Amino acid sequence: MDYSQITQADVDGFRANLNMVPQQTESIYLPHIDSDLAYSAEGKLFNFDNIGQSDPKDVDTVVPDSPEGLLEMTRRVGFLKGFHDGKFIESVQKVHQLQDPTDKVMASMRAGKFRKLDAKVRDSFFAPARIGEHGEEVLNFPAAEKIVPVASRKFLHAAEVPSLPSSGPLPLTLGKIRTARGIIRKTKILQLLQGGRIKLSVREDDISQLLTTIPATSKDYAIAERIQDGELTHAWGIDFIMDEDVHLKAGTTDTFILPMFVDKAIQLKSREIHDATIKERADKSNRPWAYYETQAGACRGWDEAVAGIEVKDL
């Protein structure tokens, strides 16, 4: 077989397809956060600057003193980390097909890239944040104040109580959703992040078990059923995101932490892919090999904009 037919057009098409804006089904989180997929500033750090609120003063005299001061600003720092992927292509005809974004091999590699970006977003929800000019200070997420415990019965509706165990761990309940939503709203972060929307990541099992805690005669049961059927993505003041890969609580094997967050508080930066190639691999009988490498990172800008809900399957 003549492998010399690999052309620059094949490489350019491969790279261009990897850099395409993701379709809605290719990424779980990119449609729901602040993302830049063509970040070009130098270095391996990026800044997420938080500007505080400005509070005007009353004018109490005919000739008042001029108001002074600077807006409070906190700088959080995200880190870009490299990742790469490479796959052998069975024939030169298959190499040519990488110019087509709908080709199965091409689509699989692009989907893998976006799964990696989604993983970086998941890691940013509760991981320690870095602050300072160069990220020299570590700020742990205040989990004790911001995560609804797995056994929480706060704000349970009277109709929910009979269907749940009297004590011990619980699955997702309306009470837990209301509690986490209140944690975010009470910080007034939505006043600062104008236009921000509250999001909640859930698994299919979470919605299924939520249904078991709500009486079938309740209007909330019909809402949860529509969420499960994919007919509804917004309810109870929250946008729902289906994510089967939410993180387990550290040290457990059966308790998950569902992230609730304001979309504008999570930022992801990713480089455009420039280091992409398709070449023969002499160590593999000169079979063609498609490879790329890039960098990406995600950062949580405000702890006030994130909460968590612990859930355990019944």
Side-chain angles (χ1 to χ4, degrees):
M1 182 177 293
D2 182 11
Y3 287 98
S4 64
Q5 297 175 49
I6 298 173
T7 67
Q8 187 60 43
D10 294 326
V11 177
D12 292 342
F14 174 58
R15 182 189 303 109
N17 288 333
L18 287 170
N19 284 326
M20 284 178 61
V21 174
Q23 302 297 315
Q24 188 169 4
T25 57
E26 287 184 312
S27 173
I28 294 171
Y29 285 109
L30 292 187
H32 300 286
I33 62 168
D34 181 5
S35 61
D36 180 358
L37 302 182
Y39 184 67
S40 59
E42 294 184 1
K44 292 190 176 183
L45 306 178
F46 64 90
N47 297 329
F48 196 159
D49 292 337
N50 306 336
I51 305 298
Q53 297 185 22
S54 180
D55 296 317
K57 306 298 182 184
D58 290 334
V59 177
D60 296 324
T61 64
V62 176
V63 184
D65 292 334
S66 298
E68 299 176 343
L70 296 172
L71 282 170
E72 180 183 354
M73 186 186 82
T74 303
R75 169 162 290 175
R76 292 197 172 184
V77 176
F79 291 81
L80 298 168
K81 187 173 182 179
F83 65 92
H84 59 176
D85 192 11
K87 294 292 181 287
F88 286 102
I89 312 299
E90 62 181 274
S91 68
V92 71
Q93 287 76 22
K94 296 289 186 181
V95 168
H96 294 327
Q97 291 174 19
L98 294 180
Q99 297 185 45
D100 178 2
T102 65
D103 173 68
K104 291 183 178 179
V105 174
M106 184 69 256
S108 177
M109 294 190 74
R110 189 174 62 248
K113 170 193 168 183
F114 292 124
R115 283 196 302 274
K116 187 68 174 179
L117 297 184
D118 284 338
K120 291 183 178 294
V121 174
R122 283 188 203 97
D123 291 342
S124 73
F125 290 134
F126 306 117
R130 295 278 186 163
I131 59 175
E133 191 67 25
H134 304 289
E136 59 272 14
E137 297 181 47
V138 177
L139 185 65
N140 290 322
F141 183 76
E145 307 164 21
K146 307 284 290 180
I147 294 182
V148 180
V150 69
S152 173
R153 283 164 171 73
K154 190 174 182 180
F155 298 139
L156 282 180
H157 190 280
E160 291 179 276
V161 175
S163 63
L164 293 169
S166 59
S167 63
L170 294 179
L172 183 64
T173 65
L174 283 177
K176 287 184 178 181
I177 292 174
R178 294 184 180 109
T179 302
R181 184 187 63 188
I183 289 172
I184 290 177
R185 284 181 172 177
K186 284 188 288 187
T187 66
K188 301 182 180 179
I189 188 67
L190 292 172
Q191 296 179 17
L192 183 62
L193 301 177
Q194 289 291 321
R197 297 174 68 91
I198 298 177
K199 313 278 183 172
L200 174 64
S201 301
V202 294
R203 303 167 300 145
E204 180 72 23
D205 284 351
D206 296 315
I207 299 300
S208 296
Q209 294 192 77
L210 176 63
L211 280 167
T212 68
T213 71
I214 305 173
T217 55
S218 168
K219 66 177 182 180
D220 290 321
Y221 185 92
I223 291 172
E225 203 169 35
R226 291 183 65 196
I227 295 172
Q228 185 181 51
D229 292 342
E231 299 175 0
L232 190 67
T233 59
H234 181 83
W236 307 304
I238 294 163
D239 294 334
F240 285 81
I241 302 170
M242 303 305 296
D243 182 8
E244 295 300 320
D245 295 313
V246 295
H247 287 176
L248 282 163
K249 181 180 179 180
T252 73
T253 59
D254 57 3
T255 302
F256 295 87
I257 304 181
L258 308 180
M260 184 181 286
F261 61 97
V262 179
D263 50 5
K264 293 186 176 183
I266 306 296
Q267 194 172 93
L268 178 133
K269 303 285 190 185
S270 176
R271 303 282 193 197
E272 278 195 324
I273 294 174
H274 299 291
D275 186 5
T277 186
I278 307 173
K279 64 182 181 181
E280 301 172 17
R281 281 276 297 272
D283 60 328
K284 295 294 181 180
S285 302
N286 288 330
R287 292 299 189 268
W289 177 63
Y291 171 84
Y292 75 86
E293 182 175 346
T294 189
Q295 296 177 332
C299 180
R300 179 182 70 253
W302 289 265
D303 291 345
E304 296 88 340
V306 177
I309 301 174
E310 294 182 354
V311 298
K312 184 175 181 179
D313 298 339
L314 293 180

